[in-house]
Short mmCIF file of all heavy atoms in Angstrom, two decimals:
data_model
loop_
_atom_site.label_atom_id
_atom_site.label_comp_id
_atom_site.label_asym_id
_atom_site.label_seq_id
_atom_site.Cartn_x
_atom_site.Cartn_y
_atom_site.Cartn_z
N ARG X 127 -84.64 -160.21 20.92
CA ARG X 127 -83.37 -159.47 21.36
C ARG X 127 -82.19 -160.04 20.87
O ARG X 127 -81.17 -159.31 20.64
CB ARG X 127 -83.40 -159.35 22.90
CG ARG X 127 -84.34 -158.40 23.54
CD ARG X 127 -84.06 -158.05 25.00
NE ARG X 127 -84.13 -159.22 25.83
CZ ARG X 127 -85.20 -159.52 26.49
NH1 ARG X 127 -86.32 -158.86 26.44
NH2 ARG X 127 -85.14 -160.60 27.37
N VAL X 128 -82.12 -161.33 20.68
CA VAL X 128 -80.90 -162.03 20.18
C VAL X 128 -80.93 -162.24 18.68
O VAL X 128 -80.08 -162.99 18.08
CB VAL X 128 -80.69 -163.31 20.92
CG1 VAL X 128 -80.50 -163.13 22.41
CG2 VAL X 128 -81.74 -164.38 20.69
N GLN X 147 -76.39 -171.10 20.66
CA GLN X 147 -75.89 -170.27 21.78
C GLN X 147 -76.73 -169.09 21.97
O GLN X 147 -77.00 -168.56 23.13
CB GLN X 147 -74.46 -169.97 21.57
CG GLN X 147 -73.74 -169.42 22.83
CD GLN X 147 -73.80 -170.35 23.99
OE1 GLN X 147 -74.85 -170.76 24.54
NE2 GLN X 147 -72.62 -170.81 24.37
N ARG X 148 -77.27 -168.46 20.88
CA ARG X 148 -78.06 -167.32 21.06
C ARG X 148 -79.44 -167.68 21.68
O ARG X 148 -80.10 -166.92 22.49
CB ARG X 148 -78.22 -166.61 19.66
CG ARG X 148 -77.19 -165.73 19.19
CD ARG X 148 -77.54 -164.92 18.08
NE ARG X 148 -77.46 -165.61 16.80
CZ ARG X 148 -78.04 -165.23 15.66
NH1 ARG X 148 -78.77 -164.18 15.64
NH2 ARG X 148 -77.84 -166.02 14.58
N ILE X 151 -78.68 -167.89 25.34
CA ILE X 151 -78.54 -166.58 25.82
C ILE X 151 -79.88 -165.97 26.09
O ILE X 151 -80.20 -165.33 27.09
CB ILE X 151 -77.67 -165.65 25.02
CG1 ILE X 151 -76.21 -166.18 25.01
CG2 ILE X 151 -77.70 -164.20 25.46
CD1 ILE X 151 -75.31 -165.44 23.96
N LEU X 162 -75.56 -162.21 35.34
CA LEU X 162 -75.43 -163.20 34.13
C LEU X 162 -74.01 -163.86 34.27
O LEU X 162 -72.98 -163.22 34.31
CB LEU X 162 -75.44 -162.30 32.88
CG LEU X 162 -75.47 -163.12 31.56
CD1 LEU X 162 -76.61 -164.25 31.50
CD2 LEU X 162 -75.59 -162.19 30.40
N CYS X 164 -71.40 -166.73 32.68
CA CYS X 164 -71.12 -167.38 31.41
C CYS X 164 -69.85 -168.20 31.51
O CYS X 164 -68.82 -167.68 31.85
CB CYS X 164 -70.96 -166.30 30.31
SG CYS X 164 -72.36 -165.22 30.08
N PRO X 167 -68.68 -169.26 26.91
CA PRO X 167 -69.85 -169.22 25.99
C PRO X 167 -69.57 -169.22 24.56
O PRO X 167 -70.31 -169.57 23.76
CB PRO X 167 -70.52 -167.93 26.40
CG PRO X 167 -69.45 -167.04 26.92
CD PRO X 167 -68.56 -167.92 27.71
N THR X 168 -68.34 -168.99 24.20
CA THR X 168 -67.83 -168.94 22.79
C THR X 168 -66.91 -170.13 22.50
O THR X 168 -66.38 -170.23 21.38
CB THR X 168 -67.20 -167.58 22.41
OG1 THR X 168 -65.99 -167.50 23.15
CG2 THR X 168 -68.09 -166.46 22.68
N LEU X 171 -67.50 -172.38 19.38
CA LEU X 171 -67.87 -171.67 18.09
C LEU X 171 -66.66 -171.28 17.30
O LEU X 171 -65.56 -171.11 17.92
CB LEU X 171 -68.70 -170.41 18.52
CG LEU X 171 -69.95 -170.59 19.35
CD1 LEU X 171 -70.56 -169.25 19.69
CD2 LEU X 171 -70.95 -171.57 18.61
N ASP X 172 -66.89 -171.08 16.00
CA ASP X 172 -65.74 -170.57 15.15
C ASP X 172 -65.61 -169.17 15.45
O ASP X 172 -66.47 -168.49 16.13
CB ASP X 172 -66.02 -170.84 13.69
CG ASP X 172 -67.37 -170.27 13.21
OD1 ASP X 172 -67.48 -168.95 13.43
OD2 ASP X 172 -68.30 -170.95 12.82
N LEU X 173 -64.56 -168.55 14.91
CA LEU X 173 -64.21 -167.20 15.27
C LEU X 173 -65.32 -166.17 14.95
O LEU X 173 -65.64 -165.32 15.78
CB LEU X 173 -62.91 -166.76 14.53
CG LEU X 173 -62.36 -165.31 14.75
CD1 LEU X 173 -62.09 -165.09 16.24
CD2 LEU X 173 -61.19 -165.07 13.91
N ALA X 174 -65.96 -166.29 13.74
CA ALA X 174 -66.95 -165.37 13.36
C ALA X 174 -68.17 -165.46 14.32
O ALA X 174 -68.72 -164.41 14.81
CB ALA X 174 -67.42 -165.65 11.98
N ASN X 175 -68.66 -166.60 14.51
CA ASN X 175 -69.80 -166.81 15.47
C ASN X 175 -69.42 -166.44 16.89
O ASN X 175 -70.24 -165.87 17.63
CB ASN X 175 -70.28 -168.26 15.45
CG ASN X 175 -71.28 -168.51 14.32
OD1 ASN X 175 -72.21 -167.71 14.16
ND2 ASN X 175 -71.03 -169.49 13.60
N ALA X 176 -68.16 -166.74 17.34
CA ALA X 176 -67.71 -166.38 18.67
C ALA X 176 -67.76 -164.89 18.86
O ALA X 176 -68.28 -164.37 19.94
CB ALA X 176 -66.37 -166.91 19.01
N THR X 177 -67.31 -164.14 17.84
CA THR X 177 -67.35 -162.72 17.92
C THR X 177 -68.76 -162.15 17.99
O THR X 177 -69.02 -161.28 18.82
CB THR X 177 -66.58 -162.10 16.69
OG1 THR X 177 -65.27 -162.56 16.62
CG2 THR X 177 -66.60 -160.52 16.77
N ARG X 178 -69.66 -162.69 17.24
CA ARG X 178 -71.08 -162.22 17.21
C ARG X 178 -71.69 -162.55 18.52
O ARG X 178 -72.46 -161.71 19.12
CB ARG X 178 -71.84 -162.91 16.06
CG ARG X 178 -71.60 -162.25 14.71
CD ARG X 178 -72.64 -162.74 13.69
NE ARG X 178 -72.38 -164.10 13.37
CZ ARG X 178 -71.71 -164.48 12.32
NH1 ARG X 178 -71.08 -163.63 11.54
NH2 ARG X 178 -71.59 -165.78 12.01
N VAL X 179 -71.47 -163.74 19.09
CA VAL X 179 -72.15 -164.12 20.36
C VAL X 179 -71.57 -163.23 21.48
O VAL X 179 -72.28 -162.74 22.33
CB VAL X 179 -71.84 -165.60 20.69
CG1 VAL X 179 -72.14 -165.90 22.15
CG2 VAL X 179 -72.71 -166.47 19.80
N PHE X 180 -70.25 -162.92 21.46
CA PHE X 180 -69.61 -162.03 22.57
C PHE X 180 -70.15 -160.67 22.42
O PHE X 180 -70.44 -160.04 23.46
CB PHE X 180 -68.15 -162.16 22.55
CG PHE X 180 -67.50 -161.46 23.72
CD1 PHE X 180 -67.63 -162.06 24.99
CD2 PHE X 180 -66.78 -160.34 23.57
CE1 PHE X 180 -67.14 -161.47 26.04
CE2 PHE X 180 -66.25 -159.78 24.74
CZ PHE X 180 -66.41 -160.24 26.00
N ASP X 181 -70.26 -160.17 21.20
CA ASP X 181 -70.80 -158.75 21.01
C ASP X 181 -72.24 -158.77 21.57
O ASP X 181 -72.69 -157.80 22.28
CB ASP X 181 -70.79 -158.35 19.56
CG ASP X 181 -69.38 -158.09 19.04
OD1 ASP X 181 -68.54 -157.92 19.81
OD2 ASP X 181 -69.27 -158.08 17.77
N LEU X 182 -72.98 -159.79 21.35
CA LEU X 182 -74.38 -159.89 21.77
C LEU X 182 -74.44 -159.88 23.32
O LEU X 182 -75.24 -159.18 23.93
CB LEU X 182 -75.06 -161.10 21.24
CG LEU X 182 -76.46 -161.42 21.75
CD1 LEU X 182 -77.47 -160.35 21.39
CD2 LEU X 182 -76.95 -162.77 21.29
N LEU X 183 -73.59 -160.70 23.91
CA LEU X 183 -73.51 -160.66 25.35
C LEU X 183 -73.24 -159.33 25.98
O LEU X 183 -73.87 -158.86 26.97
CB LEU X 183 -72.45 -161.72 25.93
CG LEU X 183 -72.90 -163.08 25.95
CD1 LEU X 183 -71.66 -163.97 26.15
CD2 LEU X 183 -73.99 -163.40 26.95
N LEU X 184 -72.30 -158.60 25.44
CA LEU X 184 -71.90 -157.32 25.95
C LEU X 184 -73.12 -156.30 25.67
O LEU X 184 -73.37 -155.39 26.55
CB LEU X 184 -70.69 -156.78 25.27
CG LEU X 184 -69.39 -157.37 25.67
CD1 LEU X 184 -68.16 -156.72 25.05
CD2 LEU X 184 -69.10 -157.40 27.13
N ASP X 185 -73.79 -156.41 24.59
CA ASP X 185 -74.94 -155.50 24.30
C ASP X 185 -76.04 -155.78 25.36
O ASP X 185 -76.57 -154.83 25.84
CB ASP X 185 -75.41 -155.78 22.87
CG ASP X 185 -74.56 -155.17 21.82
OD1 ASP X 185 -73.71 -154.32 22.12
OD2 ASP X 185 -74.70 -155.58 20.67
N LEU X 186 -76.30 -157.07 25.61
CA LEU X 186 -77.35 -157.37 26.59
C LEU X 186 -76.93 -156.92 28.04
O LEU X 186 -77.73 -156.45 28.73
CB LEU X 186 -77.66 -158.86 26.51
CG LEU X 186 -78.39 -159.40 25.28
CD1 LEU X 186 -78.41 -160.88 25.27
CD2 LEU X 186 -79.79 -158.77 25.28
N HIS X 187 -75.66 -157.15 28.30
CA HIS X 187 -75.18 -156.63 29.66
C HIS X 187 -75.39 -155.20 29.81
O HIS X 187 -75.79 -154.78 30.91
CB HIS X 187 -73.64 -156.98 29.65
CG HIS X 187 -72.85 -156.22 30.62
ND1 HIS X 187 -73.00 -156.25 31.96
CD2 HIS X 187 -71.79 -155.38 30.41
CE1 HIS X 187 -72.14 -155.40 32.49
NE2 HIS X 187 -71.42 -154.90 31.63
N ARG X 188 -75.15 -154.42 28.77
CA ARG X 188 -75.37 -152.99 28.85
C ARG X 188 -76.81 -152.63 28.90
O ARG X 188 -77.32 -151.82 29.68
CB ARG X 188 -74.69 -152.26 27.79
CG ARG X 188 -73.14 -152.22 27.88
CD ARG X 188 -72.49 -151.30 26.84
NE ARG X 188 -72.62 -151.86 25.45
CZ ARG X 188 -71.69 -152.60 24.91
NH1 ARG X 188 -70.58 -152.79 25.60
NH2 ARG X 188 -71.86 -153.09 23.65
N ASP X 189 -77.66 -153.27 27.98
CA ASP X 189 -79.02 -152.94 27.84
C ASP X 189 -79.80 -153.32 29.07
O ASP X 189 -80.76 -152.61 29.43
CB ASP X 189 -79.61 -153.61 26.62
CG ASP X 189 -79.03 -153.03 25.27
OD1 ASP X 189 -78.43 -151.96 25.34
OD2 ASP X 189 -79.23 -153.64 24.29
N LEU X 190 -79.61 -154.49 29.66
CA LEU X 190 -80.32 -154.99 30.81
C LEU X 190 -79.66 -154.49 32.11
O LEU X 190 -80.29 -154.70 33.15
CB LEU X 190 -80.30 -156.55 30.76
CG LEU X 190 -80.95 -157.26 29.51
CD1 LEU X 190 -80.85 -158.75 29.63
CD2 LEU X 190 -82.39 -156.78 29.36
N LEU X 194 -72.07 -158.96 34.85
CA LEU X 194 -71.55 -160.06 33.96
C LEU X 194 -70.32 -160.64 34.48
O LEU X 194 -69.37 -159.92 34.73
CB LEU X 194 -71.39 -159.51 32.57
CG LEU X 194 -70.81 -160.43 31.54
CD1 LEU X 194 -71.73 -161.60 31.29
CD2 LEU X 194 -70.60 -159.73 30.24
N LEU X 196 -67.72 -163.77 33.30
CA LEU X 196 -67.41 -164.61 32.12
C LEU X 196 -66.14 -165.37 32.43
O LEU X 196 -65.11 -164.83 32.71
CB LEU X 196 -67.22 -163.67 30.96
CG LEU X 196 -66.66 -164.32 29.61
CD1 LEU X 196 -67.83 -165.00 28.89
CD2 LEU X 196 -66.04 -163.26 28.73
N ASP X 200 -59.91 -166.88 26.27
CA ASP X 200 -59.54 -165.94 25.21
C ASP X 200 -59.23 -164.59 25.74
O ASP X 200 -60.07 -163.81 26.25
CB ASP X 200 -60.77 -165.84 24.27
CG ASP X 200 -60.41 -165.09 22.99
OD1 ASP X 200 -59.43 -164.24 22.99
OD2 ASP X 200 -61.17 -165.27 21.91
N SER X 202 -58.44 -161.81 24.17
CA SER X 202 -59.11 -160.74 23.44
C SER X 202 -60.48 -160.48 24.03
O SER X 202 -61.00 -159.32 24.04
CB SER X 202 -59.19 -161.12 21.97
OG SER X 202 -60.13 -162.16 21.77
N LEU X 203 -61.25 -161.51 24.57
CA LEU X 203 -62.49 -161.31 25.16
C LEU X 203 -62.36 -160.65 26.55
O LEU X 203 -62.99 -159.71 26.90
CB LEU X 203 -63.30 -162.63 25.30
CG LEU X 203 -63.53 -163.37 23.98
CD1 LEU X 203 -64.49 -164.59 24.33
CD2 LEU X 203 -64.15 -162.54 22.99
N ARG X 206 -62.01 -156.91 26.93
CA ARG X 206 -63.18 -156.03 26.69
C ARG X 206 -64.12 -155.97 28.02
O ARG X 206 -65.02 -155.24 27.91
CB ARG X 206 -64.01 -156.57 25.51
CG ARG X 206 -63.18 -156.49 24.19
CD ARG X 206 -63.99 -157.15 23.08
NE ARG X 206 -65.19 -156.43 22.71
CZ ARG X 206 -66.11 -156.82 21.92
NH1 ARG X 206 -65.94 -157.99 21.26
NH2 ARG X 206 -67.25 -156.10 21.71
N MET X 207 -63.63 -156.62 29.04
CA MET X 207 -64.43 -156.56 30.23
C MET X 207 -63.83 -155.47 31.19
O MET X 207 -62.72 -155.01 31.02
CB MET X 207 -64.34 -157.93 30.89
CG MET X 207 -64.79 -159.10 30.03
SD MET X 207 -66.60 -159.20 29.80
CE MET X 207 -67.02 -160.03 31.29
#
Side-chain angles (χ1 to χ4, degrees):
R127 284 197 297 269
V128 300
Q147 192 60 297
R148 282 192 278 162
I151 292 170
L162 185 58
C164 303
T168 63
L171 304 176
D172 59 59
L173 180 59
N175 274 310
T177 300
R178 282 194 288 269
V179 163
F180 189 66
D181 287 345
L182 173 63
L183 279 171
L184 288 184
D185 287 343
L186 288 170
H187 157 62
R188 287 189 290 265
D189 293 345
L190 301 177
L194 175 63
L196 172 81
D200 191 336
S202 67
L203 301 186
R206 298 175 63 187
M207 307 286 277

